[in-house]
Amino acid sequence: MSALRIGITGGMGCGKSTVVREFIARGIPCFVSDIVASRYYFDIDFLDELRALLGDGVFLPDGSADKRAVADRVFADQRLLDGLNALVHPRVIDDFEAFCSFHEREPYLLFESAILYEYGFDRLMDRVVCVYLDLDERLRRLRLRDGVGEEDLMARISRQLPAEEVMLRADHVILNYEGNPRQRQVEYIDKLLRQ
């Protein structure tokens, strides 16, 4: 029997990474889509496709892509964002399938993505866990973490489903507030998924 595929999602700044670390500490393999996708920026074929999509302006003199310039371009133009996603997402799915094959004997494994529902990754999952935090607290954390202005943050957040909608669609929800027993919530869901 192959491992259950569990999607873990939530909006920017909700603390998905912290929750993922809790599951990893329990021995659960986790595929973090952003980390995997960041490796594509070292792949010559991907860089060629990126240059064809966005032009030379997002590249540094050494030939590497300037990720900040890429983000600025694609978050300002939905067509370019869709184009970038068309380059990244098929690679992510292929890499996830390989990850699943490697970990098929585990009770379950996680696929972490902030855009799980937006791009149909949920259809690859057996269940979904949502990490929830209200917008005001997410913005506060993101300003501290990234040093980005609220207008830029809201532009990026607006491209994701509202956190409340994600929470309603998910099978399990972790409320990730300071002082909330996050560890106990993860422990409870872990036990359910191992059954």
Side-chain angles (χ1 to χ4, degrees):
M1 189 170 121
S2 60
L4 285 175
R5 299 174 176 201
I6 309 300
I8 186 160
T9 193
M12 288 174 56
C14 70
K16 288 183 304 300
S17 298
T18 304
V19 171
V20 163
R21 284 194 295 273
E22 295 269 355
F23 280 101
I24 290 171
R26 295 173 177 284
I28 300 303
C30 184
F31 182 97
V32 179
S33 58
D34 283 348
I35 291 173
V36 172
S38 71
R39 295 178 188 146
Y40 303 152
Y41 286 84
F42 298 99
D43 178 279
I44 297 299
D45 293 335
F46 178 80
L47 291 175
D48 287 344
E49 293 175 45
L50 187 66
R51 189 180 302 275
L53 175 69
L54 300 177
D56 292 331
V58 298
F59 285 85
L60 298 169
D62 67 2
S64 64
D66 179 344
K67 290 183 187 177
R68 171 75 81 173
V70 170
D72 289 346
R73 287 283 309 281
V74 300
F75 285 115
D77 184 329
Q78 184 64 47
R79 181 187 62 80
L80 293 177
L81 180 60
D82 291 342
L84 179 62
N85 287 334
L87 297 179
V88 171
H89 293 169
R91 287 174 166 90
V92 167
I93 290 170
D94 288 347
D95 286 341
F96 179 61
E97 291 299 334
F99 179 85
C100 291
S101 295
F102 185 78
H103 293 288
E104 66 184 356
R105 296 190 182 277
E106 301 291 340
Y108 69 95
L109 49 86
L110 297 179
F111 176 92
E112 184 276 332
S113 174
I115 51 173
L116 189 83
Y117 288 112
E118 290 85 340
Y119 291 97
F121 293 133
D122 61 301
R123 293 191 297 270
L124 304 173
M125 304 301 138
D126 295 302
R127 295 190 200 158
V128 174
V129 175
C130 168
V131 181
Y132 178 80
L133 190 64
D134 68 72
L135 181 59
D136 288 342
E137 181 61 13
R138 288 167 54 204
L139 287 170
R140 185 188 73 77
R141 290 182 183 185
L142 287 166
R143 282 192 300 267
L144 288 173
R145 184 188 80 185
D146 298 343
V148 177
E150 189 165 327
E151 188 175 318
D152 288 339
L153 290 173
M154 287 305 298
R156 293 179 186 187
I157 287 171
S158 71
R159 297 191 185 280
Q160 299 177 346
L161 287 176
E164 291 73 18
E165 182 178 338
V166 173
M167 183 171 61
L168 290 172
R169 291 173 69 174
D171 300 291
H172 309 282
V173 177
I174 292 174
L175 301 175
N176 198 23
Y177 291 95
E178 295 298 327
N180 208 37
R182 177 180 53 242
Q183 194 170 15
R184 280 193 296 182
Q185 294 177 77
V186 170
E187 181 181 359
Y188 175 75
I189 292 170
D190 178 60
K191 284 180 182 174
L192 285 177
L193 295 174
R194 289 177 186 271
Q195 292 176 355

